[in-house]
Amino acid sequence: MYRQKMIVGNWKMNKTTADALVLIRDIAATVGKRTDVDVVVCPPFTALEGASRVLEGTAVKLGAQNMHPELNGAFTGEVSAPMLRELFVTHVILGHSERRAYFGETDAFVNQKVLTAIKNQLRPILCVGETLAEREAGATLRVVQTQVERGLEGVGRETAGGIVVAYEPVWAIGTGKVATAAQAQEVHAFIRSLLVKLLGEAVAQRARILYGGSMKPANAAELLGQGDIDGGLIGGASLEARSFCDLIQAAGAAK
Ligand code: 13P
């Protein structure tokens, strides 16, 4: 089954709006017309509006890094799905390990966000992944299974079409330690088998499963060449146009 590759830049808490627009313009100038790879950039909330204007008329999509499950109300500091939709945001990263570790997000809370995103026509990018201690204890697949099953609870087959799952081993994020292609492929294939059980064969075969964790132009081709690795969720290497666009190039070349 052919699945178009997807490269998502997660800028995390980096770039003022001014700096963000410089980077977005560079990215749009280099890959803005590419339709053979799905490209999504996820700047901080403060840069979404400006980024949205720059990306108008290009093929590059806009994503948010987080979202609250409620649509409005007394949730100081939070941002909702309708607010994102109004800025032409199409994707939203949910359950990133940094949100789980530093902001106490549970699988149940992430699940509420996933359901709200889908209801509001935002495509969730559900992040899962084990810590080093969990990997060393042989618990990788069990941890990932719980995160995928709980994160997708209540998602109906008919609405799950655009679902994206990102496998990000916590020990590989920002550390320079990348999972080997075989390690990543094993978990990706496992995630796809879970999606088959949860959402059926057709949805599972169409779903993109991204790898994240120290992915760079130098290691991208091998990872992207694996059967169940459909793209990348990129942190550090997405902060510079050159490396981000090189990753898109690698995704376009991967079979
Ligand atoms: P790095 O690419 O910096 O390791 O970050 C990965 C990540 O967390 C993307 O969401």
Side-chain angles (χ1 to χ4, degrees), residues 13-38:
M13 196 174 70
N14 293 292
K15 308 277 180 194
T16 63
T17 299
D19 292 342
L21 295 188
V22 171
L23 177 52
I24 295 264
R25 282 195 191 99
D26 277 359
I27 292 169
T30 314
V31 297
K33 298 262 175 288
R34 269 192 102 129
T35 52
D36 60 328
V37 176
D38 289 332

PDB file of all heavy atoms in Angstrom, residues 13-38:
ATOM      1  N   MET A  13       9.336  25.326  21.895  1.00  0.00           N
ATOM      2  CA  MET A  13       9.277  26.723  22.345  1.00  0.00           C
ATOM      3  C   MET A  13      10.489  27.494  21.791  1.00  0.00           C
ATOM      4  O   MET A  13      11.356  27.948  22.532  1.00  0.00           O
ATOM      5  CB  MET A  13       9.230  26.793  23.875  1.00  0.00           C
ATOM      6  CG  MET A  13       8.787  28.163  24.395  1.00  0.00           C
ATOM      7  SD  MET A  13       8.580  28.186  26.191  1.00  0.00           S
ATOM      8  CE  MET A  13      10.288  28.067  26.748  1.00  0.00           C
ATOM      9  N   ASN A  14      10.523  27.587  20.469  1.00  0.00           N
ATOM     10  CA  ASN A  14      11.614  28.280  19.797  1.00  0.00           C
ATOM     11  C   ASN A  14      11.056  29.233  18.752  1.00  0.00           C
ATOM     12  O   ASN A  14      10.014  28.951  18.173  1.00  0.00           O
ATOM     13  CB  ASN A  14      12.535  27.272  19.107  1.00  0.00           C
ATOM     14  CG  ASN A  14      13.269  26.392  20.099  1.00  0.00           C
ATOM     15  OD1 ASN A  14      14.129  26.858  20.849  1.00  0.00           O
ATOM     16  ND2 ASN A  14      12.913  25.123  20.137  1.00  0.00           N
ATOM     17  N   LYS A  15      11.747  30.332  18.539  1.00  0.00           N
ATOM     18  CA  LYS A  15      11.445  31.338  17.509  1.00  0.00           C
ATOM     19  C   LYS A  15      10.386  32.358  17.971  1.00  0.00           C
ATOM     20  O   LYS A  15       9.233  31.999  18.232  1.00  0.00           O
ATOM     21  CB  LYS A  15      10.955  30.712  16.188  1.00  0.00           C
ATOM     22  CG  LYS A  15      11.852  29.626  15.638  1.00  0.00           C
ATOM     23  CD  LYS A  15      13.001  30.183  14.866  1.00  0.00           C
ATOM     24  CE  LYS A  15      13.894  29.064  14.333  1.00  0.00           C
ATOM     25  NZ  LYS A  15      15.188  29.561  13.848  1.00  0.00           N
ATOM     26  N   THR A  16      10.802  33.613  18.018  1.00  0.00           N
ATOM     27  CA  THR A  16       9.827  34.699  18.148  1.00  0.00           C
ATOM     28  C   THR A  16       9.063  34.748  16.827  1.00  0.00           C
ATOM     29  O   THR A  16       9.475  34.121  15.837  1.00  0.00           O
ATOM     30  CB  THR A  16      10.539  36.044  18.342  1.00  0.00           C
ATOM     31  OG1 THR A  16      11.314  36.302  17.152  1.00  0.00           O
ATOM     32  CG2 THR A  16      11.461  36.035  19.557  1.00  0.00           C
ATOM     33  N   THR A  17       7.992  35.529  16.794  1.00  0.00           N
ATOM     34  CA  THR A  17       7.227  35.597  15.550  1.00  0.00           C
ATOM     35  C   THR A  17       8.106  36.087  14.400  1.00  0.00           C
ATOM     36  O   THR A  17       8.063  35.532  13.295  1.00  0.00           O
ATOM     37  CB  THR A  17       5.999  36.508  15.730  1.00  0.00           C
ATOM     38  OG1 THR A  17       5.191  35.935  16.757  1.00  0.00           O
ATOM     39  CG2 THR A  17       5.184  36.610  14.453  1.00  0.00           C
ATOM     40  N   ALA A  18       8.916  37.100  14.663  1.00  0.00           N
ATOM     41  CA  ALA A  18       9.774  37.636  13.594  1.00  0.00           C
ATOM     42  C   ALA A  18      10.708  36.547  13.058  1.00  0.00           C
ATOM     43  O   ALA A  18      10.848  36.372  11.837  1.00  0.00           O
ATOM     44  CB  ALA A  18      10.577  38.831  14.108  1.00  0.00           C
ATOM     45  N   ASP A  19      11.348  35.823  13.957  1.00  0.00           N
ATOM     46  CA  ASP A  19      12.265  34.751  13.520  1.00  0.00           C
ATOM     47  C   ASP A  19      11.501  33.624  12.830  1.00  0.00           C
ATOM     48  O   ASP A  19      11.992  33.020  11.862  1.00  0.00           O
ATOM     49  CB  ASP A  19      13.020  34.173  14.724  1.00  0.00           C
ATOM     50  CG  ASP A  19      13.996  35.184  15.317  1.00  0.00           C
ATOM     51  OD1 ASP A  19      14.343  36.168  14.622  1.00  0.00           O
ATOM     52  OD2 ASP A  19      14.394  34.999  16.482  1.00  0.00           O
ATOM     53  N   ALA A  20      10.306  33.357  13.332  1.00  0.00           N
ATOM     54  CA  ALA A  20       9.492  32.285  12.749  1.00  0.00           C
ATOM     55  C   ALA A  20       9.146  32.607  11.296  1.00  0.00           C
ATOM     56  O   ALA A  20       9.209  31.738  10.424  1.00  0.00           O
ATOM     57  CB  ALA A  20       8.210  32.094  13.563  1.00  0.00           C
ATOM     58  N   LEU A  21       8.821  33.868  11.046  1.00  0.00           N
ATOM     59  CA  LEU A  21       8.408  34.213   9.679  1.00  0.00           C
ATOM     60  C   LEU A  21       9.569  34.120   8.698  1.00  0.00           C
ATOM     61  O   LEU A  21       9.384  33.746   7.541  1.00  0.00           O
ATOM     62  CB  LEU A  21       7.769  35.602   9.666  1.00  0.00           C
ATOM     63  CG  LEU A  21       6.451  35.674  10.471  1.00  0.00           C
ATOM     64  CD1 LEU A  21       5.758  37.005  10.269  1.00  0.00           C
ATOM     65  CD2 LEU A  21       5.513  34.524  10.139  1.00  0.00           C
ATOM     66  N   VAL A  22      10.757  34.436   9.169  1.00  0.00           N
ATOM     67  CA  VAL A  22      11.943  34.283   8.307  1.00  0.00           C
ATOM     68  C   VAL A  22      12.080  32.807   7.902  1.00  0.00           C
ATOM     69  O   VAL A  22      12.244  32.475   6.719  1.00  0.00           O
ATOM     70  CB  VAL A  22      13.229  34.763   9.033  1.00  0.00           C
ATOM     71  CG1 VAL A  22      14.472  34.411   8.227  1.00  0.00           C
ATOM     72  CG2 VAL A  22      13.152  36.269   9.304  1.00  0.00           C
ATOM     73  N   LEU A  23      11.968  31.942   8.893  1.00  0.00           N
ATOM     74  CA  LEU A  23      12.124  30.507   8.624  1.00  0.00           C
ATOM     75  C   LEU A  23      10.994  29.984   7.722  1.00  0.00           C
ATOM     76  O   LEU A  23      11.239  29.244   6.765  1.00  0.00           O
ATOM     77  CB  LEU A  23      12.165  29.738   9.957  1.00  0.00           C
ATOM     78  CG  LEU A  23      12.262  28.211   9.900  1.00  0.00           C
ATOM     79  CD1 LEU A  23      13.408  27.754   9.013  1.00  0.00           C
ATOM     80  CD2 LEU A  23      12.438  27.638  11.312  1.00  0.00           C
ATOM     81  N   ILE A  24       9.764  30.398   8.017  1.00  0.00           N
ATOM     82  CA  ILE A  24       8.622  29.927   7.199  1.00  0.00           C
ATOM     83  C   ILE A  24       8.790  30.371   5.744  1.00  0.00           C
ATOM     84  O   ILE A  24       8.509  29.616   4.816  1.00  0.00           O
ATOM     85  CB  ILE A  24       7.289  30.504   7.736  1.00  0.00           C
ATOM     86  CG1 ILE A  24       6.994  29.970   9.125  1.00  0.00           C
ATOM     87  CG2 ILE A  24       6.148  30.225   6.769  1.00  0.00           C
ATOM     88  CD1 ILE A  24       6.080  28.780   9.173  1.00  0.00           C
ATOM     89  N   ARG A  25       9.240  31.605   5.569  1.00  0.00           N
ATOM     90  CA  ARG A  25       9.417  32.090   4.185  1.00  0.00           C
ATOM     91  C   ARG A  25      10.467  31.265   3.462  1.00  0.00           C
ATOM     92  O   ARG A  25      10.291  30.913   2.298  1.00  0.00           O
ATOM     93  CB  ARG A  25       9.836  33.567   4.189  1.00  0.00           C
ATOM     94  CG  ARG A  25       8.674  34.477   4.435  1.00  0.00           C
ATOM     95  CD  ARG A  25       8.971  35.945   4.088  1.00  0.00           C
ATOM     96  NE  ARG A  25       7.884  36.745   4.622  1.00  0.00           N
ATOM     97  CZ  ARG A  25       7.925  37.416   5.778  1.00  0.00           C
ATOM     98  NH1 ARG A  25       9.040  37.455   6.485  1.00  0.00           N
ATOM     99  NH2 ARG A  25       6.868  38.066   6.205  1.00  0.00           N
ATOM    100  N   ASP A  26      11.555  30.949   4.148  1.00  0.00           N
ATOM    101  CA  ASP A  26      12.621  30.121   3.547  1.00  0.00           C
ATOM    102  C   ASP A  26      12.077  28.749   3.159  1.00  0.00           C
ATOM    103  O   ASP A  26      12.350  28.230   2.073  1.00  0.00           O
ATOM    104  CB  ASP A  26      13.761  29.905   4.544  1.00  0.00           C
ATOM    105  CG  ASP A  26      14.735  31.076   4.545  1.00  0.00           C
ATOM    106  OD1 ASP A  26      14.507  32.022   3.757  1.00  0.00           O
ATOM    107  OD2 ASP A  26      15.696  31.042   5.336  1.00  0.00           O
ATOM    108  N   ILE A  27      11.319  28.160   4.082  1.00  0.00           N
ATOM    109  CA  ILE A  27      10.771  26.821   3.819  1.00  0.00           C
ATOM    110  C   ILE A  27       9.807  26.889   2.632  1.00  0.00           C
ATOM    111  O   ILE A  27       9.868  26.065   1.714  1.00  0.00           O
ATOM    112  CB  ILE A  27      10.060  26.270   5.083  1.00  0.00           C
ATOM    113  CG1 ILE A  27      11.087  25.990   6.181  1.00  0.00           C
ATOM    114  CG2 ILE A  27       9.252  25.011   4.753  1.00  0.00           C
ATOM    115  CD1 ILE A  27      10.481  25.705   7.549  1.00  0.00           C
ATOM    116  N   ALA A  28       8.931  27.899   2.654  1.00  0.00           N
ATOM    117  CA  ALA A  28       7.935  28.021   1.577  1.00  0.00           C
ATOM    118  C   ALA A  28       8.617  28.233   0.232  1.00  0.00           C
ATOM    119  O   ALA A  28       8.183  27.688  -0.790  1.00  0.00           O
ATOM    120  CB  ALA A  28       6.971  29.163   1.887  1.00  0.00           C
ATOM    121  N   ALA A  29       9.706  29.000   0.230  1.00  0.00           N
ATOM    122  CA  ALA A  29      10.402  29.270  -1.032  1.00  0.00           C
ATOM    123  C   ALA A  29      11.030  27.998  -1.589  1.00  0.00           C
ATOM    124  O   ALA A  29      11.104  27.796  -2.803  1.00  0.00           O
ATOM    125  CB  ALA A  29      11.473  30.342  -0.813  1.00  0.00           C
ATOM    126  N   THR A  30      11.486  27.111  -0.720  1.00  0.00           N
ATOM    127  CA  THR A  30      12.191  25.905  -1.182  1.00  0.00           C
ATOM    128  C   THR A  30      11.235  24.754  -1.490  1.00  0.00           C
ATOM    129  O   THR A  30      11.400  24.060  -2.490  1.00  0.00           O
ATOM    130  CB  THR A  30      13.214  25.440  -0.119  1.00  0.00           C
ATOM    131  OG1 THR A  30      13.932  26.584   0.321  1.00  0.00           O
ATOM    132  CG2 THR A  30      14.186  24.426  -0.678  1.00  0.00           C
ATOM    133  N   VAL A  31      10.257  24.515  -0.628  1.00  0.00           N
ATOM    134  CA  VAL A  31       9.424  23.316  -0.798  1.00  0.00           C
ATOM    135  C   VAL A  31       7.932  23.634  -0.915  1.00  0.00           C
ATOM    136  O   VAL A  31       7.099  22.718  -0.907  1.00  0.00           O
ATOM    137  CB  VAL A  31       9.627  22.315   0.375  1.00  0.00           C
ATOM    138  CG1 VAL A  31      11.060  21.813   0.413  1.00  0.00           C
ATOM    139  CG2 VAL A  31       9.247  22.941   1.713  1.00  0.00           C
ATOM    140  N   GLY A  32       7.608  24.919  -1.028  1.00  0.00           N
ATOM    141  CA  GLY A  32       6.201  25.342  -1.014  1.00  0.00           C
ATOM    142  C   GLY A  32       5.355  24.775  -2.130  1.00  0.00           C
ATOM    143  O   GLY A  32       4.127  24.734  -2.033  1.00  0.00           O
ATOM    144  N   LYS A  33       5.997  24.317  -3.205  1.00  0.00           N
ATOM    145  CA  LYS A  33       5.217  23.781  -4.340  1.00  0.00           C
ATOM    146  C   LYS A  33       5.216  22.258  -4.362  1.00  0.00           C
ATOM    147  O   LYS A  33       4.615  21.646  -5.239  1.00  0.00           O
ATOM    148  CB  LYS A  33       5.812  24.286  -5.667  1.00  0.00           C
ATOM    149  CG  LYS A  33       5.788  25.796  -5.832  1.00  0.00           C
ATOM    150  CD  LYS A  33       4.586  26.254  -6.670  1.00  0.00           C
ATOM    151  CE  LYS A  33       4.462  27.766  -6.763  1.00  0.00           C
ATOM    152  NZ  LYS A  33       4.026  28.398  -5.487  1.00  0.00           N
ATOM    153  N   ARG A  34       5.930  21.655  -3.402  1.00  0.00           N
ATOM    154  CA  ARG A  34       6.042  20.185  -3.431  1.00  0.00           C
ATOM    155  C   ARG A  34       4.766  19.520  -2.990  1.00  0.00           C
ATOM    156  O   ARG A  34       4.244  19.812  -1.922  1.00  0.00           O
ATOM    157  CB  ARG A  34       7.138  19.754  -2.466  1.00  0.00           C
ATOM    158  CG  ARG A  34       8.487  19.649  -3.121  1.00  0.00           C
ATOM    159  CD  ARG A  34       9.436  18.940  -2.193  1.00  0.00           C
ATOM    160  NE  ARG A  34       9.598  17.581  -2.624  1.00  0.00           N
ATOM    161  CZ  ARG A  34      10.783  17.019  -2.806  1.00  0.00           C
ATOM    162  NH1 ARG A  34      11.877  17.699  -2.578  1.00  0.00           N
ATOM    163  NH2 ARG A  34      10.864  15.773  -3.199  1.00  0.00           N
ATOM    164  N   THR A  35       4.288  18.606  -3.789  1.00  0.00           N
ATOM    165  CA  THR A  35       3.074  17.887  -3.402  1.00  0.00           C
ATOM    166  C   THR A  35       3.338  16.384  -3.270  1.00  0.00           C
ATOM    167  O   THR A  35       2.431  15.614  -2.992  1.00  0.00           O
ATOM    168  CB  THR A  35       1.951  18.105  -4.442  1.00  0.00           C
ATOM    169  OG1 THR A  35       2.478  17.798  -5.732  1.00  0.00           O
ATOM    170  CG2 THR A  35       1.450  19.542  -4.438  1.00  0.00           C
ATOM    171  N   ASP A  36       4.607  15.985  -3.445  1.00  0.00           N
ATOM    172  CA  ASP A  36       4.920  14.553  -3.346  1.00  0.00           C
ATOM    173  C   ASP A  36       5.222  14.135  -1.908  1.00  0.00           C
ATOM    174  O   ASP A  36       5.366  12.953  -1.611  1.00  0.00           O
ATOM    175  CB  ASP A  36       6.106  14.203  -4.257  1.00  0.00           C
ATOM    176  CG  ASP A  36       7.363  14.979  -3.884  1.00  0.00           C
ATOM    177  OD1 ASP A  36       7.248  16.140  -3.409  1.00  0.00           O
ATOM    178  OD2 ASP A  36       8.460  14.431  -4.045  1.00  0.00           O
ATOM    179  N   VAL A  37       5.362  15.115  -1.011  1.00  0.00           N
ATOM    180  CA  VAL A  37       5.561  14.845   0.413  1.00  0.00           C
ATOM    181  C   VAL A  37       4.607  15.790   1.143  1.00  0.00           C
ATOM    182  O   VAL A  37       4.471  16.944   0.750  1.00  0.00           O
ATOM    183  CB  VAL A  37       7.017  15.169   0.848  1.00  0.00           C
ATOM    184  CG1 VAL A  37       7.205  14.977   2.347  1.00  0.00           C
ATOM    185  CG2 VAL A  37       8.028  14.322   0.069  1.00  0.00           C
ATOM    186  N   ASP A  38       3.926  15.292   2.192  1.00  0.00           N
ATOM    187  CA  ASP A  38       3.098  16.186   2.999  1.00  0.00           C
ATOM    188  C   ASP A  38       4.009  16.895   4.003  1.00  0.00           C
ATOM    189  O   ASP A  38       4.695  16.229   4.790  1.00  0.00           O
ATOM    190  CB  ASP A  38       2.028  15.385   3.753  1.00  0.00           C
ATOM    191  CG  ASP A  38       0.953  14.866   2.809  1.00  0.00           C
ATOM    192  OD1 ASP A  38       0.719  15.512   1.777  1.00  0.00           O
ATOM    193  OD2 ASP A  38       0.367  13.808   3.094  1.00  0.00           O
TER     194      ASP A  38
END
